[in-house]
């Protein structure tokens, strides 16, 4: 019986890691080094910390889980997260873990892995911001986030690129000059 419980715990651990790896906020934080040079190690540690938090605390409420994750993201990655999507998935996995339902845990982890999106963030700059001193430590930088699917079915989770308009302008090779600049021509 102890072996079966350990197997379910291993499935819960794998599920937590799958959820965290598919979490866009954590992907952006790691990709952009918000946690410093050890961002990847912090992300790996986060999986174990979340697992331990669930195992050591019974009857957690969604807001408690959200507060815990928010605190970890602020402390470790200097990132404020307010999407609220993650706690429900983790809590559902924990309920399956408590019941010893390994099949449901395996199915959830597999489903999350299949829907996983690759997220990139780009800083948005305005003309006003370029004139200001960029060394201001208290400034908040807006980010544009785009998601692409890693090739699996998404069920609408990742926005897919819209097909381009047939009348849209295409870049021709002769429009690219030596310096890497592209000449943009007006539509006629």
């Amino acid at each position: 019986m102890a072996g079966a419980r350990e197997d379910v715990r291993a499935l819960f651990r794998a599920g937590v890691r799958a959820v965290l790896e598919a979490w866009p906020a954590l992907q952006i934080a790691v990709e952009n080094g918000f946690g410093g040079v050890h961002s990847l190690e912090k992300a790996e540690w986060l999986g174990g910390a979340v697992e331990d938090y669930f195992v050591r605390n019974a009857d957690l409420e969604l807001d408690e889980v959200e507060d815990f994750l928010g605190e970890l993201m602020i402390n470790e990655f200097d990132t404020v997260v307010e999407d609220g999507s993650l706690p429900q998935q983790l809590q559902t996995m924990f309920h399956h873990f408590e019941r010893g339902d390994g099949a449901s845990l395996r199915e959830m982890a597999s489903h999350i892995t299949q829907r996983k999106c690759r997220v990139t963030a780009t800083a948005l700059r305005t003309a006003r911001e370029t004139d200001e001193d960029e060394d201001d430590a208290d400034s908040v930088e807006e980010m544009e986030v785009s998601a692409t699917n890693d090739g699996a079915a998404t069920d609408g989770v990742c926005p897919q690129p819209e097909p381009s308009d047939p009348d849209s302008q295409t870049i021709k090779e002769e429009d690219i000059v030596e310096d890497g600049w592209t000449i943009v021509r007006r539509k006629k």
Side-chain angles (χ1 to χ4, degrees), residues 1-12 92-106:
M1 188 69 182
R5 183 75 177 162
E6 289 301 317
D7 290 342
V8 173
R9 174 119 187 217
L11 287 171
F12 177 64
T92 302
M93 284 189 157
F94 185 65
H95 289 301
H96 291 307
F97 167 68
E98 285 181 316
R99 290 194 318 252
D101 190 357
S104 293
L105 282 171
R106 192 176 295 111

Side-chain angles (χ1 to χ4, degrees), residues 39-123:
S39 291
L40 187 58
E41 290 84 4
K42 286 181 179 183
E44 291 170 2
W45 166 83
L46 187 67
V50 170
E51 175 192 356
D52 288 343
Y53 180 72
F54 274 99
V55 171
R56 293 176 191 215
N57 298 292
D59 299 324
L60 290 170
E61 297 292 324
L62 281 177
D63 61 335
E64 293 173 313
V65 176
E66 188 170 14
D67 289 345
F68 176 72
L69 290 170
E71 223 175 280
L72 287 175
M73 289 299 289
I74 288 171
N75 292 339
E76 301 299 327
F77 295 99
D78 197 26
T79 302
V80 177
V81 179
E82 297 175 342
D83 67 351
S85 61
L86 197 58
Q88 181 62 49
Q89 289 177 322
L90 292 171
Q91 200 159 35
T92 302
M93 284 189 157
F94 185 65
H95 289 301
H96 291 307
F97 167 68
E98 285 181 316
R99 290 194 318 252
D101 190 357
S104 293
L105 282 171
R106 192 176 295 111
E107 181 181 331
M108 277 188 79
S110 172
H111 185 68
I112 289 167
T113 303
Q114 288 174 357
R115 292 186 341 188
K116 183 178 174 183
C117 297
R118 177 86 178 120
V119 179
T120 57
T122 329

Side-chain angles (χ1 to χ4, degrees), residues 161-171 187:
E162 294 294 321
S164 61
D165 184 37
D167 296 330
S168 68
Q169 188 173 5
T170 58
I171 298 174
K187 211 177 199 183

Side-chain angles (χ1 to χ4, degrees), residues 28 31-32 34 120-126 129-130 134 140-146:
I28 291 169
E31 180 181 298
N32 292 293
F34 293 173
T120 57
T122 329
L124 298 176
R125 294 227 180 263
T126 62
E129 288 176 338
T130 57
E134 294 186 6
V140 175
E141 189 173 314
E142 287 188 40
M143 307 213 66
E144 181 178 296
V145 178
S146 60

